[in-house]
Amino acid sequence: MGIWNKRDDVLVHQAEPYNAESPPGALARRITPLDSFYGRNHAPIPRVDPESWRLRVDGLVDHPLELSSDELRRSFPERSVVATLQCAGNRRADLIEVRDIPGQVSWGPGAVSTARWTGASLADVLAEAGVRPDAAHIAFTGADVSPQAQPPQPFGGSIPVAKATSGEVLLAWAMNDQELPVAHGAPLRVIVPGWIGARSVKWLRRITARAEPSDNYFQTEYSILPAEADPLRAGPGDGITLGPIALHCAILRPAKNARLPSGPTEITGFALAGDDRTVARVEVSTDHGLTWTHADLDPPDNPWTWQHWRTTLTLPPGETELVARAWDSTATVQPESPATVWNPRGYANNAAAHLRVLCAP
C-alpha cells in the first residue's frame, strides 16, 4: 500500500500536500474503493482530535449551534447518498498540451471518484439553527490551513442557500459504510453532490450563513478566468466562480496510446453531467467526428453520479483517434476540443475525450 492507505497504482502527483488520482480500473466500478479514491488538497492533511472537535453553526441564524460529533449523530436523522466528486482541475493535462499552465497539478482523467456518503442532512442542521431570510449563502471552513493564500488561511468556500437546503447535501461522517478516513476529511466533511469537489470542504469546523458568498481565498480561486488574464494578478471579480460540475466524459479502455489488434474492439468509459442533470447520450467517433456511434449507457443511480458506457467498434490497421462526447438531459453537448476551453488556471475542461491507439494489421 502507498501513503494514506492507498493502492500502489494510485498516481501520486504530490505527496505534500497530497494530490493523487484514481487508476483507470477503479473508475470502471460503480463505487470507488477507499484505497483508490482520488485526493485533492491545498495544505497538509490535518489531524483533528475527534474528542475535542466541535462544529459551529453561526452567522445569519436565529440559534447558533455548537455540536460535538456525538451530538450531531444523535440529534439528526442519518441519511445516505451515492455521489461522484470531481476536482475542478480534472483533465488539466489536456489543457496543458494546448498551452502551458505553470504551477498547477497536471491532472489526467482520474481526479474523480464515487462513494456512498452517510451523515446528517445539511438542510436539517440549518433548519435547527434557523437560517434568517437575509441569508443567501452558506459558507464552510475547514481545519486545513493553506499557504497558497496570503496570509495563510483555512480552506473554505460557499454555496447558495437553495443548494444548501436541498436534501442531497450532507455533513458526512462515513464513506462506503466505513468511518470517514482522515485523508478524506474526518471527523466531518461536506458533500455537495453535482458541484466541484472544492465546495465539499473537508475537516469541517464551521458553517456560516451569509448575505454574500464566502470571502475565503478559495471561493474565487476556483473560477474561470479569461484566456488572456494573468492568474497572479486576477481579482475576485475577474473570473466566473465555479459551482456545478460541467458535463464530462472519459474513455477508460483502451488506454491512451495502446497497441491493439485491428478489428472489433470494446471501448468503455464514464460520463457525468453535474448539478441535477443526467447524461442522456454518449457517442463515439473514429473518423474525427464525421460519423458517430451511440454507446450503451447505464442509467444513473441518481442525478449526482457518473454513468458508465460501452460500445464495440471495428478499428482499422494503423493509428486511430477515438473521440467520445456526451449529451446531457438539457441537450447540452461537450465542446469539440480542449483548445476551445483553455483557461489560465486549467479548470473545468469539459471538452470531448480524445484518445489515440495503434492497431496492428
Side-chain angles (χ1 to χ4, degrees):
M1 300 292 287
I3 57 176
W4 298 109
N5 295 317
K6 298 297 182 180
R7 282 170 25 179
D8 289 337
D9 59 350
V10 166
L11 176 57
V12 178
H13 291 281
Q14 294 174 299
E16 188 74 33
Y18 179 69
N19 287 296
E21 58 182 282
S22 302
L27 303 182
R29 303 175 64 169
R30 172 179 167 269
I31 298 292
T32 312
L34 297 184
D35 63 4
S36 49
F37 203 99
Y38 87 98
R40 174 60 173 129
N41 298 286
H42 293 270
I45 291 175
R47 296 281 187 173
V48 179
D49 177 15
E51 296 300 320
S52 61
W53 173 89
R54 297 292 184 273
L55 174 66
R56 293 173 54 197
V57 184
D58 58 14
L60 299 175
V61 297
D62 294 326
H63 311 289
L65 305 175
E66 184 168 306
L67 300 166
S68 69
S69 181
D70 286 344
E71 289 169 335
L72 181 67
R73 298 186 189 208
R74 188 171 59 246
S75 301
F76 299 95
E78 183 175 283
R79 302 180 187 273
S80 294
V81 63
V82 176
T84 301
L85 295 189
Q86 178 175 276
C87 174
N90 197 38
R91 297 177 61 214
R92 182 183 284 132
D94 293 344
L95 300 182
I96 291 174
E97 290 182 6
V98 174
R99 179 177 161 193
D100 192 25
I101 304 175
Q104 297 284 0
V105 177
S106 183
W107 292 105
V112 57
S113 300
T114 298
R116 175 181 171 86
W117 309 95
T118 300
S121 167
L122 176 60
D124 289 346
V125 175
L126 293 176
E128 181 71 16
V131 177
R132 297 176 187 171
D134 52 339
H137 302 268
I138 303 298
F140 310 114
T141 305
D144 48 331
V145 178
S146 174
Q148 187 174 333
Q150 293 297 327
Q153 64 176 256
F155 188 90
S158 65
I159 59 177
V161 164
K163 179 66 176 179
T165 54
S166 59
E168 71 272 11
V169 180
L170 293 186
L171 304 178
W173 55 69
M175 183 179 179
N176 291 352
D177 301 319
Q178 300 180 42
E179 284 293 313
L180 189 67
V182 170
H184 293 290
L188 193 74
R189 69 172 298 170
V190 187
I191 296 296
V192 186
W195 282 48
I196 62 168
R199 306 309 177 213
S200 292
V201 173
K202 301 190 286 288
W203 308 289
L204 185 66
R205 287 189 178 276
R206 185 178 180 187
I207 300 171
T208 305
R210 299 169 49 98
E212 303 293 335
S214 171
D215 56 4
N216 188 278
Y217 171 84
F218 292 98
Q219 177 68 15
T220 54
E221 166 67 15
Y222 277 95
S223 63
I224 301 291
L225 295 174
E228 69 278 7
D230 180 351
L232 298 179
R233 298 182 179 181
D238 293 341
I240 302 169
T241 301
L242 291 169
I245 294 171
L247 178 63
H248 174 65
C249 179
I251 299 172
L252 295 178
R253 193 173 62 192
K256 184 177 181 180
N257 297 321
R259 293 179 176 270
L260 309 167
S262 57
T265 303
E266 185 180 44
I267 302 163
T268 67
F270 70 86
L272 176 65
D275 203 11
D276 58 357
R277 306 181 305 274
T278 55
V279 178
R281 181 192 306 160
V282 172
E283 301 168 322
V284 183
S285 176
T286 59
D287 56 12
H288 306 287
L290 293 178
T291 60
W292 297 89
T293 298
H294 287 193
D296 293 328
L297 178 66
D298 291 344
D301 285 338
N302 58 50
W304 313 293
T305 62
W306 55 21
Q307 295 166 244
H308 289 88
W309 56 266
R310 66 204 58 80
T311 190
T312 298
L313 299 177
T314 300
L315 302 185
E319 185 177 85
T320 296
E321 182 180 58
L322 302 173
V323 183
R325 69 182 184 187
W327 299 72
D328 72 15
S329 51
T330 68
T332 296
V333 66
Q334 291 179 268
E336 180 181 349
S337 73
T340 62
V341 294
W342 189 94
N343 61 91
R345 286 179 176 148
Y347 290 141
N349 175 17
N350 70 324
H354 294 249
L355 186 147
R356 295 180 184 275
V357 296
L358 184 64
C359 294

PDB file of all heavy atoms in Angstrom, residues 50-51 53-55 67-76 173 179 187:
ATOM      1  N   PRO A  50     -10.960  13.965  17.445  1.00  0.00           N
ATOM      2  CA  PRO A  50     -12.416  13.824  17.391  1.00  0.00           C
ATOM      3  C   PRO A  50     -13.099  14.098  18.727  1.00  0.00           C
ATOM      4  O   PRO A  50     -14.286  14.446  18.754  1.00  0.00           O
ATOM      5  CB  PRO A  50     -12.622  12.371  16.944  1.00  0.00           C
ATOM      6  CG  PRO A  50     -11.368  11.664  17.306  1.00  0.00           C
ATOM      7  CD  PRO A  50     -10.284  12.675  17.194  1.00  0.00           C
ATOM      8  N   GLU A  51     -12.386  13.959  19.848  1.00  0.00           N
ATOM      9  CA  GLU A  51     -12.994  14.183  21.155  1.00  0.00           C
ATOM     10  C   GLU A  51     -13.201  15.664  21.438  1.00  0.00           C
ATOM     11  O   GLU A  51     -14.229  16.070  21.996  1.00  0.00           O
ATOM     12  CB  GLU A  51     -12.119  13.556  22.252  1.00  0.00           C
ATOM     13  CG  GLU A  51     -12.005  12.041  22.158  1.00  0.00           C
ATOM     14  CD  GLU A  51     -13.352  11.360  22.263  1.00  0.00           C
ATOM     15  OE1 GLU A  51     -14.191  11.802  23.088  1.00  0.00           O
ATOM     16  OE2 GLU A  51     -13.590  10.390  21.515  1.00  0.00           O
ATOM     17  N   TRP A  53     -13.161  18.027  19.023  1.00  0.00           N
ATOM     18  CA  TRP A  53     -13.728  18.690  17.844  1.00  0.00           C
ATOM     19  C   TRP A  53     -15.156  19.163  18.103  1.00  0.00           C
ATOM     20  O   TRP A  53     -15.949  18.461  18.734  1.00  0.00           O
ATOM     21  CB  TRP A  53     -13.695  17.723  16.662  1.00  0.00           C
ATOM     22  CG  TRP A  53     -14.398  18.236  15.421  1.00  0.00           C
ATOM     23  CD1 TRP A  53     -13.850  18.971  14.420  1.00  0.00           C
ATOM     24  CD2 TRP A  53     -15.770  18.027  15.065  1.00  0.00           C
ATOM     25  NE1 TRP A  53     -14.790  19.245  13.456  1.00  0.00           N
ATOM     26  CE2 TRP A  53     -15.983  18.685  13.831  1.00  0.00           C
ATOM     27  CE3 TRP A  53     -16.839  17.370  15.676  1.00  0.00           C
ATOM     28  CZ2 TRP A  53     -17.214  18.686  13.187  1.00  0.00           C
ATOM     29  CZ3 TRP A  53     -18.085  17.376  15.047  1.00  0.00           C
ATOM     30  CH2 TRP A  53     -18.256  18.029  13.814  1.00  0.00           C
ATOM     31  N   ARG A  54     -15.475  20.347  17.603  1.00  0.00           N
ATOM     32  CA  ARG A  54     -16.828  20.880  17.654  1.00  0.00           C
ATOM     33  C   ARG A  54     -17.151  21.538  16.316  1.00  0.00           C
ATOM     34  O   ARG A  54     -16.282  22.146  15.683  1.00  0.00           O
ATOM     35  CB  ARG A  54     -16.999  21.918  18.776  1.00  0.00           C
ATOM     36  CG  ARG A  54     -16.793  21.387  20.177  1.00  0.00           C
ATOM     37  CD  ARG A  54     -17.888  20.408  20.582  1.00  0.00           C
ATOM     38  NE  ARG A  54     -17.740  19.965  21.962  1.00  0.00           N
ATOM     39  CZ  ARG A  54     -17.005  18.935  22.344  1.00  0.00           C
ATOM     40  NH1 ARG A  54     -16.310  18.235  21.437  1.00  0.00           N
ATOM     41  NH2 ARG A  54     -16.941  18.579  23.614  1.00  0.00           N
ATOM     42  N   LEU A  55     -18.416  21.418  15.906  1.00  0.00           N
ATOM     43  CA  LEU A  55     -18.914  22.088  14.706  1.00  0.00           C
ATOM     44  C   LEU A  55     -19.702  23.319  15.129  1.00  0.00           C
ATOM     45  O   LEU A  55     -20.680  23.210  15.884  1.00  0.00           O
ATOM     46  CB  LEU A  55     -19.805  21.158  13.887  1.00  0.00           C
ATOM     47  CG  LEU A  55     -20.507  21.800  12.680  1.00  0.00           C
ATOM     48  CD1 LEU A  55     -19.483  22.220  11.624  1.00  0.00           C
ATOM     49  CD2 LEU A  55     -21.543  20.850  12.086  1.00  0.00           C
ATOM     50  N   LEU A  67     -21.811  21.825  18.162  1.00  0.00           N
ATOM     51  CA  LEU A  67     -22.143  20.409  18.255  1.00  0.00           C
ATOM     52  C   LEU A  67     -20.896  19.549  18.294  1.00  0.00           C
ATOM     53  O   LEU A  67     -19.972  19.730  17.494  1.00  0.00           O
ATOM     54  CB  LEU A  67     -22.985  19.988  17.041  1.00  0.00           C
ATOM     55  CG  LEU A  67     -24.318  20.713  16.841  1.00  0.00           C
ATOM     56  CD1 LEU A  67     -24.848  20.444  15.440  1.00  0.00           C
ATOM     57  CD2 LEU A  67     -25.320  20.278  17.903  1.00  0.00           C
ATOM     58  N   SER A  68     -20.859  18.602  19.207  1.00  0.00           N
ATOM     59  CA  SER A  68     -19.830  17.574  19.185  1.00  0.00           C
ATOM     60  C   SER A  68     -20.223  16.519  18.157  1.00  0.00           C
ATOM     61  O   SER A  68     -21.347  16.519  17.637  1.00  0.00           O
ATOM     62  CB  SER A  68     -19.697  16.923  20.565  1.00  0.00           C
ATOM     63  OG  SER A  68     -20.865  16.160  20.853  1.00  0.00           O
ATOM     64  N   SER A  69     -19.319  15.603  17.879  1.00  0.00           N
ATOM     65  CA  SER A  69     -19.617  14.537  16.931  1.00  0.00           C
ATOM     66  C   SER A  69     -20.790  13.693  17.413  1.00  0.00           C
ATOM     67  O   SER A  69     -21.712  13.372  16.644  1.00  0.00           O
ATOM     68  CB  SER A  69     -18.378  13.662  16.719  1.00  0.00           C
ATOM     69  OG  SER A  69     -18.640  12.644  15.791  1.00  0.00           O
ATOM     70  N   ASP A  70     -20.798  13.357  18.698  1.00  0.00           N
ATOM     71  CA  ASP A  70     -21.892  12.555  19.251  1.00  0.00           C
ATOM     72  C   ASP A  70     -23.210  13.303  19.181  1.00  0.00           C
ATOM     73  O   ASP A  70     -24.256  12.717  18.865  1.00  0.00           O
ATOM     74  CB  ASP A  70     -21.588  12.164  20.698  1.00  0.00           C
ATOM     75  CG  ASP A  70     -20.520  11.084  20.806  1.00  0.00           C
ATOM     76  OD1 ASP A  70     -20.243  10.422  19.778  1.00  0.00           O
ATOM     77  OD2 ASP A  70     -19.959  10.913  21.903  1.00  0.00           O
ATOM     78  N   GLU A  71     -23.196  14.581  19.483  1.00  0.00           N
ATOM     79  CA  GLU A  71     -24.426  15.378  19.442  1.00  0.00           C
ATOM     80  C   GLU A  71     -24.970  15.477  18.021  1.00  0.00           C
ATOM     81  O   GLU A  71     -26.189  15.398  17.804  1.00  0.00           O
ATOM     82  CB  GLU A  71     -24.163  16.768  20.012  1.00  0.00           C
ATOM     83  CG  GLU A  71     -23.957  16.776  21.512  1.00  0.00           C
ATOM     84  CD  GLU A  71     -23.448  18.105  22.033  1.00  0.00           C
ATOM     85  OE1 GLU A  71     -22.810  18.870  21.255  1.00  0.00           O
ATOM     86  OE2 GLU A  71     -23.673  18.392  23.230  1.00  0.00           O
ATOM     87  N   LEU A  72     -24.085  15.628  17.063  1.00  0.00           N
ATOM     88  CA  LEU A  72     -24.519  15.712  15.669  1.00  0.00           C
ATOM     89  C   LEU A  72     -25.186  14.416  15.245  1.00  0.00           C
ATOM     90  O   LEU A  72     -26.273  14.432  14.640  1.00  0.00           O
ATOM     91  CB  LEU A  72     -23.321  16.024  14.774  1.00  0.00           C
ATOM     92  CG  LEU A  72     -23.608  16.173  13.279  1.00  0.00           C
ATOM     93  CD1 LEU A  72     -24.458  17.396  13.000  1.00  0.00           C
ATOM     94  CD2 LEU A  72     -22.297  16.252  12.485  1.00  0.00           C
ATOM     95  N   ARG A  73     -24.583  13.291  15.580  1.00  0.00           N
ATOM     96  CA  ARG A  73     -25.131  11.997  15.161  1.00  0.00           C
ATOM     97  C   ARG A  73     -26.423  11.662  15.918  1.00  0.00           C
ATOM     98  O   ARG A  73     -27.308  11.018  15.365  1.00  0.00           O
ATOM     99  CB  ARG A  73     -24.085  10.899  15.387  1.00  0.00           C
ATOM    100  CG  ARG A  73     -22.820  11.096  14.576  1.00  0.00           C
ATOM    101  CD  ARG A  73     -21.893   9.908  14.720  1.00  0.00           C
ATOM    102  NE  ARG A  73     -20.580  10.185  14.124  1.00  0.00           N
ATOM    103  CZ  ARG A  73     -19.781   9.242  13.625  1.00  0.00           C
ATOM    104  NH1 ARG A  73     -20.170   7.971  13.644  1.00  0.00           N
ATOM    105  NH2 ARG A  73     -18.602   9.558  13.126  1.00  0.00           N
ATOM    106  N   ARG A  74     -26.507  12.107  17.142  1.00  0.00           N
ATOM    107  CA  ARG A  74     -27.674  11.781  17.960  1.00  0.00           C
ATOM    108  C   ARG A  74     -28.863  12.693  17.656  1.00  0.00           C
ATOM    109  O   ARG A  74     -30.018  12.271  17.768  1.00  0.00           O
ATOM    110  CB  ARG A  74     -27.281  11.891  19.439  1.00  0.00           C
ATOM    111  CG  ARG A  74     -28.329  11.396  20.411  1.00  0.00           C
ATOM    112  CD  ARG A  74     -27.791  11.325  21.822  1.00  0.00           C
ATOM    113  NE  ARG A  74     -27.324  12.624  22.312  1.00  0.00           N
ATOM    114  CZ  ARG A  74     -26.060  12.904  22.592  1.00  0.00           C
ATOM    115  NH1 ARG A  74     -25.117  11.988  22.404  1.00  0.00           N
ATOM    116  NH2 ARG A  74     -25.718  14.097  23.044  1.00  0.00           N
ATOM    117  N   SER A  75     -28.600  13.911  17.226  1.00  0.00           N
ATOM    118  CA  SER A  75     -29.667  14.909  17.105  1.00  0.00           C
ATOM    119  C   SER A  75     -30.346  14.941  15.742  1.00  0.00           C
ATOM    120  O   SER A  75     -31.441  15.504  15.628  1.00  0.00           O
ATOM    121  CB  SER A  75     -29.100  16.303  17.410  1.00  0.00           C
ATOM    122  OG  SER A  75     -28.545  16.359  18.712  1.00  0.00           O
ATOM    123  N   PHE A  76     -29.707  14.347  14.722  1.00  0.00           N
ATOM    124  CA  PHE A  76     -30.246  14.478  13.371  1.00  0.00           C
ATOM    125  C   PHE A  76     -30.346  13.104  12.710  1.00  0.00           C
ATOM    126  O   PHE A  76     -29.488  12.239  12.914  1.00  0.00           O
ATOM    127  CB  PHE A  76     -29.362  15.403  12.531  1.00  0.00           C
ATOM    128  CG  PHE A  76     -29.267  16.794  13.091  1.00  0.00           C
ATOM    129  CD1 PHE A  76     -28.205  17.147  13.913  1.00  0.00           C
ATOM    130  CD2 PHE A  76     -30.260  17.724  12.829  1.00  0.00           C
ATOM    131  CE1 PHE A  76     -28.123  18.426  14.452  1.00  0.00           C
ATOM    132  CE2 PHE A  76     -30.187  19.005  13.364  1.00  0.00           C
ATOM    133  CZ  PHE A  76     -29.118  19.350  14.182  1.00  0.00           C
ATOM    134  N   TRP A 173     -20.009  11.741   7.878  1.00  0.00           N
ATOM    135  CA  TRP A 173     -19.048  11.131   8.801  1.00  0.00           C
ATOM    136  C   TRP A 173     -18.679   9.704   8.385  1.00  0.00           C
ATOM    137  O   TRP A 173     -17.870   9.063   9.050  1.00  0.00           O
ATOM    138  CB  TRP A 173     -19.586  11.138  10.221  1.00  0.00           C
ATOM    139  CG  TRP A 173     -20.941  10.485  10.387  1.00  0.00           C
ATOM    140  CD1 TRP A 173     -21.255   9.161  10.279  1.00  0.00           C
ATOM    141  CD2 TRP A 173     -22.165  11.146  10.714  1.00  0.00           C
ATOM    142  NE1 TRP A 173     -22.585   8.952  10.513  1.00  0.00           N
ATOM    143  CE2 TRP A 173     -23.177  10.154  10.795  1.00  0.00           C
ATOM    144  CE3 TRP A 173     -22.518  12.476  10.967  1.00  0.00           C
ATOM    145  CZ2 TRP A 173     -24.508  10.452  11.096  1.00  0.00           C
ATOM    146  CZ3 TRP A 173     -23.838  12.769  11.273  1.00  0.00           C
ATOM    147  CH2 TRP A 173     -24.824  11.767  11.333  1.00  0.00           C
ATOM    148  N   GLU A 179     -16.161   4.431   8.671  1.00  0.00           N
ATOM    149  CA  GLU A 179     -15.860   5.750   9.219  1.00  0.00           C
ATOM    150  C   GLU A 179     -15.033   6.550   8.210  1.00  0.00           C
ATOM    151  O   GLU A 179     -14.131   6.007   7.556  1.00  0.00           O
ATOM    152  CB  GLU A 179     -15.098   5.627  10.530  1.00  0.00           C
ATOM    153  CG  GLU A 179     -15.952   5.219  11.711  1.00  0.00           C
ATOM    154  CD  GLU A 179     -16.969   6.287  12.090  1.00  0.00           C
ATOM    155  OE1 GLU A 179     -16.604   7.470  12.192  1.00  0.00           O
ATOM    156  OE2 GLU A 179     -18.157   5.934  12.295  1.00  0.00           O
ATOM    157  N   PRO A 187     -13.027  14.418  11.181  1.00  0.00           N
ATOM    158  CA  PRO A 187     -14.232  13.648  11.510  1.00  0.00           C
ATOM    159  C   PRO A 187     -15.480  14.014  10.705  1.00  0.00           C
ATOM    160  O   PRO A 187     -16.462  13.273  10.763  1.00  0.00           O
ATOM    161  CB  PRO A 187     -14.442  13.986  12.986  1.00  0.00           C
ATOM    162  CG  PRO A 187     -13.907  15.376  13.131  1.00  0.00           C
ATOM    163  CD  PRO A 187     -12.713  15.430  12.219  1.00  0.00           C
TER     164      PRO A 187
END
